[in-house]
Amino acid sequence: MSLALFCVSLDFFALNLALPDMAADLHVAAGGLQWALSGYMLASGALMTAAGRLGDLFGHRRLLLFGVGLFGASSLMCGLSGSATELVAFRVLQGAGVAFVMPVGLALLTHVFDEDRRAKANGFVFGVAGVGLVLGPFVGGLLTQTVGWRSVFWLNVPFTVLSLVLASRVQLKHDASSARAVDWPGLVTVTAAIASLTVALDRGRAWGWTSGRTLGLLAAGVLLLAVFVAVESKVARPLVDLALFRNRMFVIITAGGAVASAAASVYLFGASLYLQEVRHFPAGTAGLVLLVPAVATAAAGPLAGRLGGIAPLKVMAGAGAVGGLAVLGLGLTSWLPLYVLFLAVCGGALKLSNTFTVIATQGVIRPERAGEASGVTLTAIVTAGGVGIALAGSALGAQGVTTSAVRSTLVATAVVCLVSAGILVAARLHQAHRAARTLPEAVAPVQG
């Protein structure tokens, strides 16, 4: 899982710096490769909820192997593409592979590791994935300049092969006697709903947020979600049990993680533009600066695992507050050493919140529906990250990439983070108050 998620994170963020060379080599305008990014996001985000539940039904190890294999094979084919059309098609397949790797793999960890080690395992996996996320721009730029853009994709192949070998050795019994009925109406409607919303958010800036296409896709997404809820409330074996959303802890923790994901996307997006467009750092130098939060991000994963025994709302609120203050610091400072320090704090705190979201939500649901819960949680996190980038891109596109524009974007993001942390604190206090009111007198502490 660590190897697979490292590749996924590295690949997505490495590709941005390779786009100009890819466009020149494939004889298309740089804008013509937008769907190489959008198609990947669309496939991964839209299929995660369905993939998580399918893992519960047909076996997590089996579908993890399928996802890793699909990602590795499509990475190889991306590097061999002879046209933009071929590249986009294989990128969509890459995204489909990711959709199975993430929720199914995390559910597999829930089954393989006992309760005492599960949080540490998740923390380690996300720590390694976080390194790939922040190393992506640097590695992508380096490989593109030295070996060529195709090597960005080929780099995934040996890692995925090794991941397949290791995953194939996992011994895990699957309950073959359980019903394997697939809720096809639910699968189709939720996939179409998320796909519509993803395309609208991804292309809204280019099409215009008030254009007919953008508003039509947003409306279609909302309508399809309503249909999905109606379908799930009636079928005997739903794709997503709606009772999951009546689990207050699951909903609150997932929402907090979604805010942290959006904030992380905005700060990375804003920092990359600020360093290159405002401070005029070369791509390589900007990549070196972003190595600093990579270290903090790597440390945050294992730390989240070690904090697994602490009340989730405490950890989420603390990480959100620290992350929000660090994002605020990024927006208000121009002194480079202090700016780099805030980058490190952002990387650590927001990654801690994201990782802990997955660990905590897996702890508040039944293990037999672990894939379903991880699919819903990861869909929320991935979608929120896309929303963050879309909104930040629109704000900076309207104002231009200036110091004041980047500052206002980061300050707004910090306010949202701090409000989210405040809500988590209020939820924690309410939880403690309810626990105190229901404590039987027979177990009250004896004085003296």
Side-chain angles (χ1 to χ4, degrees), residues 46 75 100 104 114 154 166 333 402:
S75 295
F100 282 91
V104 173
D114 57 43
W154 291 336
L166 294 174
T333 188
T402 63

Side-chain angles (χ1 to χ4, degrees), residues 70-119:
L70 180 59
F71 180 80
S74 53
S75 295
L76 176 64
M77 297 309 297
C78 281
L80 296 173
S81 297
S83 68
T85 302
E86 290 180 7
L87 178 63
V88 170
F90 291 126
R91 281 287 287 172
V92 170
L93 288 178
Q94 264 193 316
V98 172
F100 282 91
V101 168
M102 294 184 71
V104 173
L106 293 172
L108 181 61
L109 294 180
T110 298
H111 286 272
V112 170
F113 289 94
D114 57 43
E115 190 173 351
D116 292 336
R117 296 190 298 160
R118 190 179 301 151

Side-chain angles (χ1 to χ4, degrees), residues 29 34 79 124 147 166 176 199 244 263 293 302 320 333 338 355 366 406 425 445:
Q34 173 63 36
F124 180 85
V147 184
L166 294 174
V199 173
L244 186 66
T333 188
L338 187 58
T355 305
R366 303 192 308 273
V406 173
V425 169

Side-chain angles (χ1 to χ4, degrees), residues 198-426:
T198 302
V199 173
L201 292 170
D202 183 70
R203 304 304 295 158
R205 182 173 45 153
W207 293 342
W209 292 108
T210 57
S211 70
R213 282 185 292 183
T214 303
L215 294 177
L217 283 170
L218 289 173
V222 172
L223 178 61
L224 285 165
L225 282 177
V227 173
F228 170 71
V229 171
V231 169
E232 298 306 275
S233 64
K234 295 179 180 178
V235 297
R237 296 184 178 88
L239 184 75
V240 176
D241 187 349
L242 297 181
L244 186 66
F245 299 101
R246 293 194 289 272
N247 185 324
R248 186 177 301 175
M249 283 292 288
F250 177 85
V251 172
I252 291 174
I253 293 169
T254 298
V259 171
S261 175
S265 296
V266 172
Y267 105 79
L268 279 173
F269 181 76
S272 298
L273 289 177
Y274 173 77
L275 292 171
Q276 295 182 78
E277 301 294 331
V278 177
R279 300 192 76 107
H280 304 294
F281 285 4
T285 305
L288 285 173
V289 173
L290 291 176
L291 287 176
V292 175
V295 177
T297 299
L303 177 60
R306 292 185 176 277
L307 297 176
I310 300 177
L313 295 179
K314 285 184 178 180
V315 178
M316 297 285 293
V322 172
L325 291 173
V327 173
L328 182 64
L330 283 179
L332 298 180
T333 188
S334 58
W335 187 40
L336 188 59
L338 187 58
Y339 187 86
V340 172
L341 175 62
F342 283 133
L343 277 177
V345 177
C346 281
L350 296 176
K351 187 62 181 179
L352 174 63
S353 184
N354 265 343
T355 305
F356 203 79
T357 299
V358 177
I359 293 173
T361 51
Q362 288 287 289
V364 298
I365 47 86
R366 303 192 308 273
E368 62 269 21
R369 297 191 77 102
E372 171 191 343
S374 64
V376 172
T377 299
L378 288 168
T379 297
I381 289 175
V382 170
T383 303
V387 170
I389 291 177
L391 294 178
S394 293
L396 295 176
Q399 303 177 51
V401 184
T402 63
T403 301
S404 61
V406 173
R407 176 173 296 170
S408 60
T409 301
L410 291 174
V411 169
T413 303
V415 170
V416 173
C417 266
L418 293 173
V419 169
S420 173
I423 293 172
L424 290 169
V425 169

